[in-house]
Amino acid sequence: MPTYDFRCSECGHKFTIFVAISEKDKVKCPACGQGKVEQLFTGCSVRTGGGGGGCDLPATGGGFGGG
Ligand SMILES: [Zn+2]
């Protein structure tokens, strides 16, 4: 089963679930129940020094501390 990573825009909670593509718009945060979640694309492994790429993932030790 393909899984998708999401992050809640409300509480910053990150979670992984498996859901059909047509159902991704209905994904809600399991922590706070809000539907304001954004999908995280983990297919980015390119690290060419430069910046301004399409990678929006934190490298290591991000600032987001979702309790
Ligand atoms: Zn949340």
Side-chain angles (χ1 to χ4, degrees), residues 7-13 15 28-34 36-37:
R7 188 183 68 186
C8 178
S9 298
E10 288 292 327
C11 68
H13 179 68
F15 55 98
K28 292 184 179 181
C29 175
C32 68
Q34 294 295 322
K36 298 176 62 176
V37 298

Side-chain angles (χ1 to χ4, degrees), residues 2-57:
T3 57
Y4 298 94
D5 294 330
F6 290 88
R7 188 183 68 186
C8 178
S9 298
E10 288 292 327
C11 68
H13 179 68
K14 288 199 282 189
F15 55 98
T16 303
I17 61 174
F18 69 86
V19 60
I21 292 186
S22 59
E23 296 284 312
K24 285 199 299 183
D25 290 340
K26 302 176 185 177
V27 175
K28 292 184 179 181
C29 175
C32 68
Q34 294 295 322
K36 298 176 62 176
V37 298
E38 55 183 296
Q39 184 180 357
L40 302 176
F41 295 95
T42 58
C44 179
S45 60
V46 181
R47 288 195 61 187
T48 55
C55 301
D56 193 59
L57 297 173

Side-chain angles (χ1 to χ4, degrees), residues 62-67:
F64 293 99

